[in-house]
Amino acid sequence: MTGARMVGLFAGIGGLELGLGAHGWHTELLCEIDPGAQAVLAAHFPEVERHADVTRLRALPAGTDLVAAGFPCQDLSQAGRTAGITGSRSGLVDEVFRLVRRRRGPRWLLIENVPFMLQLDRGAAMRHITTVLEELGYTWAYRVVDARAFGLPQRRQRVLMLASRTEDPRPVLFGAEAGPRTVGDPDTDPCGFYWTEGVRGLGWAVNAVPTLKGGSGLGIASPPAVRLPAGEIVTPGLTDAERLQGFSRDWTAPAVNAPGVRAGHRWKLVGNAVSVRMATWIGSRLAGAADSPLPDELPLTGPRWPTAAWGRAGQAYRVPVSTWPVHEPYEDLRWFLDDARLLSARATAGFLRRAGRGTLRFPPGFLADVENHLLRMGGFPQEAA
C-alpha cells in the first residue's frame, strides 16, 4: 500500500491511523473535535493537516484512497444514551457520507463502532448505514472482532465495516478465521471486572479486562478492576490502559497541555480509542488478502444483524465467522499491570453495596474475595461510593 492516502475522521487519539500506517497508509488529514485528543494528534502526527469540526470540513483531499471513521458511539452504546443513529453524536456518521458524496468517493471506507449498534432500534442504525452506502455505489461488509484475537488481554468487541466502490471487501474481513479461544483459568489467572457497576453488569473477563470505557455506571471515567489469584483487587494505571489499547506508554500525555483539559480526561480518550492492533490487522488484510478463500454464506433475512454480513445493490448475506479471525500470541494480563494500585476501601465498599442492591449472579468466591480485600483495606469507610 505504499503511497496510499487516507483521511481520519473522528480520529480520537489516532488508533486507526497508527495501525493502518504500519502497512503503508499515509494520513493526509485528521479531523477531531475533542481538545485533549487534538493535542495528542498534534504531538504524534505533527506533519498532518488537522481540522476540529467535521461539519465545517468542506471536502476530502483530492486523491484520497481510504476514509477511516470511528464515529461517536455515545448514542449507540449500552453505556451511552442509546438515542440511536439519529442522536446528536452518532448521527454525525452522515457527515462522512456528505463528504464522500461531494466528489467521486474514495476506494475504501472503514467504519468502526460498538456491537450494540447491531441491536439498537432493531438494527435501524445498520439499515441506515448500509442503505446509504449502497446509494453511493459501495459494496459493504462488516465483522464483529474481539481485540483478544490480536493478543491483547482486553475483551473488546467492535464492528469493523469495510466498503468499496471498486473492490470486494469480503476477502479482507472474512478470509481469516481462527475461532474462539480459551485464554485463561479463573482459578489461577487474574480476572477483570467493572468495579463501577455491580447492579447492571459485572463485565467478568478471565485473564483480561472487560472493555475499557470512556465512562461508567457511576458517571465517571474509570479503569476496570482486576481480582488477582491471591484475592487482592487492583485497578490498572492509565499507562497500563494505554498499552491494553495497543498504544505506547504515555501516548495521551500531551492531552493535559490543552486548555481546560484535566488529567482524568485521558481515561476517556483511552476508553474511546480504537485498538491499534485491530487497526493493524485491517491494514495487513488490505495489503494482501485478495486471494483469501471465502466461507459459505446465506441470505440475510429478518431484522436481526449477525456477527458478520455483507451486501450490495439491495441484497445482503450473513457470513458464519467468529469474532476471532486470528490467534496472535496471547499476552498475560499480569504483564499489563505495571502501574496498578489497590482498589481503595471506598471504591470497594461502594461496589459491595451496589452488588447487594442488585440481582446479578457472581462467580463462586468472588464476593468473598472482595469482602476480604475490603477488610485488608480497613473495612467500610463512613461514606462509601
Side-chain angles (χ1 to χ4, degrees):
M1 286 294 176
T2 303
R5 299 192 291 181
M6 65 171 288
V7 166
L9 305 178
F10 316 105
I13 57 174
L16 282 172
E17 293 72 23
L18 190 61
L20 291 170
H23 290 278
W25 289 93
H26 176 73
T27 303
E28 298 280 321
L29 180 146
L30 291 164
C31 191
E32 172 56 47
I33 199 167
D34 184 284
Q38 290 174 9
V40 174
L41 294 175
H44 295 294
F45 300 89
E47 304 302 321
V48 179
E49 180 183 356
R50 295 181 301 280
H51 284 258
D53 189 348
V54 70
T55 66
R56 294 175 178 267
L57 186 61
R58 299 191 62 183
L60 299 172
T64 298
D65 297 297
L66 180 147
V67 171
F71 71 94
C73 66
Q74 288 92 328
D75 298 318
L76 301 176
S77 69
Q78 288 175 295
R81 298 186 296 271
T82 63
I85 197 64
T86 59
S88 60
R89 297 287 289 155
S90 297
L92 290 171
V93 69
D94 284 331
E95 294 296 327
V96 179
F97 301 140
R98 173 184 64 84
L99 291 167
V100 169
R101 190 177 280 115
R102 283 185 64 91
R103 64 170 75 240
R104 192 162 183 260
R107 276 194 305 143
W108 294 104
L109 294 180
L110 174 60
I111 295 173
E112 180 269 356
N113 216 290
V114 294
F116 193 60
M117 71 182 289
L118 303 178
Q119 306 172 34
L120 188 62
D121 292 337
R122 294 173 60 85
M126 290 296 294
R127 286 194 297 275
H128 172 74
I129 291 172
T130 56
T131 296
V132 175
L133 285 173
E134 291 180 12
E135 289 173 352
L136 292 171
Y138 282 82
T139 299
W140 56 267
Y142 75 83
R143 181 176 187 172
V144 179
V145 176
D146 194 319
R148 292 178 297 173
F150 313 111
L152 285 174
Q154 180 191 177
R155 190 185 60 206
R156 186 183 188 90
Q157 294 190 343
R158 287 295 184 266
V159 175
L160 296 178
M161 173 173 275
L162 190 64
S164 180
R165 291 184 301 102
T166 59
E167 300 179 54
D168 188 348
R170 292 179 297 166
V172 177
L173 289 183
F174 309 143
E177 168 64 358
R181 178 186 187 187
T182 299
V183 293
D185 182 337
D187 293 330
T188 57
D189 289 309
C191 296
F193 67 98
Y194 293 130
W195 69 264
T196 48
E197 302 294 344
V199 176
R200 295 189 302 173
L202 184 64
W204 186 256
V206 178
N207 202 10
V209 294
T211 304
L212 295 172
K213 301 187 294 185
S216 71
L218 296 182
I220 58 176
S222 62
V226 177
R227 186 196 72 176
L228 297 176
E232 296 95 340
I233 310 294
V234 301
T235 58
L238 178 59
T239 58
D240 298 333
E242 289 172 326
R243 293 171 57 227
L244 284 163
Q245 286 282 57
F247 294 96
S248 58
R249 184 186 299 271
D250 278 325
W251 179 267
T252 61
V256 298
N257 298 325
V261 174
R262 297 181 179 180
H265 187 63
R266 292 174 62 187
W267 279 108
K268 181 177 181 180
L269 298 179
V270 173
N272 288 338
V274 178
S275 169
V276 175
R277 291 195 193 175
M278 197 176 286
T280 302
W281 175 75
I282 282 285
S284 70
R285 300 297 298 170
L286 285 167
D291 297 326
S292 298
L294 295 175
D296 294 333
E297 57 194 39
L298 294 171
L300 180 59
T301 58
R304 295 176 61 88
W305 292 87
T307 298
W310 78 279
R312 64 184 173 206
Q315 300 295 317
Y317 304 86
R318 65 175 61 245
V319 183
V321 291
S322 75
T323 60
W324 294 67
V326 293
H327 287 169
E328 294 293 338
Y330 197 78
E331 299 182 48
D332 194 290
L333 177 57
R334 279 165 283 215
W335 301 346
F336 290 81
L337 300 176
D338 291 347
D339 295 322
R341 63 183 64 184
L342 292 169
L343 188 67
S344 71
R346 185 171 186 269
T348 306
F351 172 80
L352 284 171
R353 289 181 175 176
R354 291 189 298 278
R357 295 196 301 266
T359 58
L360 287 177
R361 300 179 65 180
F362 298 95
F366 170 67
L367 288 182
D369 281 345
V370 179
E371 290 166 353
N372 289 333
H373 175 78
L374 179 59
L375 290 176
R376 288 193 294 267
M377 296 298 291
F380 274 94
Q382 290 185 344
E383 294 183 3

